[in-house]
Amino acid sequence: MRLSQPIHRLKRRARLLSRSDALPLHVALDRIALEEGFPSWSLLAARHAEWRAGSRLLSRLDPGDLLLIAGRPGQGKTRLGIRLAVDAVRAGRHAVIFTLEYHRDQVLDCIRSMGEDPRRLGDRLSIDDADEIDADHIVARSDTAPPGTLILIDYLQLLDQRRDSASLSAQVSTLRTLARQRDLILVFLSQVHRSFAASGRSMPRLSDLKLPNPVDLSAFTRSCFVHQGRMTFGAVRHRA
């Protein structure tokens, strides 16, 4: 996300504009947002918060990591995953988005809604929306991926939908091997079971994942849960 100045300086400009032109502060903030290419200050602030969350998360990932980003529908896990891919490219890496949920144009629209121009990302960002996506497909497509490439898989449960593919557990194991052997970062979006809503807890956890078939969750190294504007990040505890 590119702003002409840090956000705290933009706020200061808005306060000065409010005083000099006798404007309500919210009107001055919206004017500054328009100069930055956003229709309102609230949208600019939301996109800035989203960008900061993605940047912090990316900085905590290492080659070989398998990250789960999980949440209920509408909680922002897809945007966060795509944000990570864009931030990886901005950091000089490559990123590949494998999506069984959306079409290529929908992914591009999401990137544009973040204030990013997909054309400026160049060939460092690839989007694959093929119907046959599974672990073998991802391995084949990642054959020439440079070390440090971030691979986003949207989403975990949809890898399990083809009868001619290996079991979901076997696919995760294959992808874990890929990440370790090639020094790649793999990010899996995942659904959270609707029973979480009745749990009384403020944030989901690994036991809330919606898994129609068993998966060894110790294959993952990191987890990130999103819910109601909050995000928790941590290491996945491995069994001894």
Side-chain angles (χ1 to χ4, degrees):
M1 180 177 179
R2 295 184 176 181
L3 299 174
S4 64
Q5 294 177 301
I7 197 165
H8 70 275
R9 292 188 178 179
L10 295 179
K11 288 181 179 178
R12 184 173 184 275
R13 280 177 52 197
R15 287 194 293 269
L16 293 174
L17 179 63
S18 174
R19 294 168 189 165
S20 65
D21 290 14
L23 295 172
L25 181 58
H26 72 274
V27 173
L29 286 167
D30 284 345
R31 284 195 183 180
I32 297 298
L34 281 172
E35 293 176 7
E36 298 295 320
F38 293 86
S40 67
W41 181 264
S42 62
L43 184 59
L44 182 153
R47 295 292 179 264
H48 184 262
E50 176 185 88
W51 171 78
R52 288 188 64 190
S55 297
R56 289 198 301 268
L57 187 55
L58 181 64
S59 69
R60 299 173 75 175
L61 298 176
D62 299 313
D65 271 339
L66 268 70
L67 169 69
L68 271 172
I69 298 179
R72 291 290 295 152
Q75 298 301 318
K77 60 182 179 291
T78 301
R79 286 188 66 88
L80 179 57
I82 295 175
R83 177 79 259 172
L84 274 175
V86 171
D87 286 347
V89 173
R90 289 293 188 198
R93 307 183 190 183
H94 287 73
V96 186
I97 299 173
F98 292 95
T99 176
L100 286 155
E101 177 74 350
Y102 296 104
H103 296 299
R104 175 184 175 84
D105 287 345
Q106 292 173 299
V107 176
L108 293 174
D109 285 343
C110 182
I111 293 172
R112 294 186 189 99
S113 75
M114 297 174 182
E116 300 281 354
D117 184 348
R119 293 172 297 182
R120 294 185 177 179
L121 302 177
D123 59 3
R124 287 181 175 269
L125 177 68
S126 301
I127 302 170
D128 188 332
D129 60 358
D131 291 335
E132 62 270 17
I133 292 173
D134 63 4
D136 289 341
H137 178 90
I138 293 169
V139 169
R141 280 292 313 274
S142 305
D143 184 54
T144 59
T149 294
L150 186 142
I151 293 175
L152 175 66
I153 299 168
D154 180 22
Y155 53 87
L156 175 65
Q157 288 80 3
L158 287 180
L159 292 175
D160 205 24
Q161 66 180 354
R162 292 179 56 199
R163 293 183 179 180
D164 57 344
S165 296
S167 69
L168 184 56
S169 185
Q171 290 190 63
V172 170
S173 179
T174 296
L175 294 171
R176 177 180 60 181
T177 300
L178 171 70
R180 291 177 175 177
Q181 289 182 344
R182 301 294 308 278
D183 283 336
L184 309 178
I185 298 171
L186 268 62
V187 179
F188 297 74
L189 303 185
S190 178
Q191 296 176 332
V192 164
H193 200 280
R194 62 182 181 181
S195 61
F196 163 71
S199 70
R201 287 180 278 105
S202 61
M203 293 295 290
R205 55 194 183 194
L206 288 174
S207 60
D208 295 310
L209 295 183
K210 184 179 180 181
L211 295 172
N213 290 304
V215 176
D216 180 7
L217 296 179
S218 69
F220 297 92
T221 58
R222 312 279 183 182
S223 65
C224 175
F225 292 94
V226 291
H227 188 66
Q228 295 183 347
R230 295 177 57 207
M231 180 179 78
T232 58
F233 176 82
V236 175
R237 294 182 180 178
H238 293 174
R239 293 196 299 266

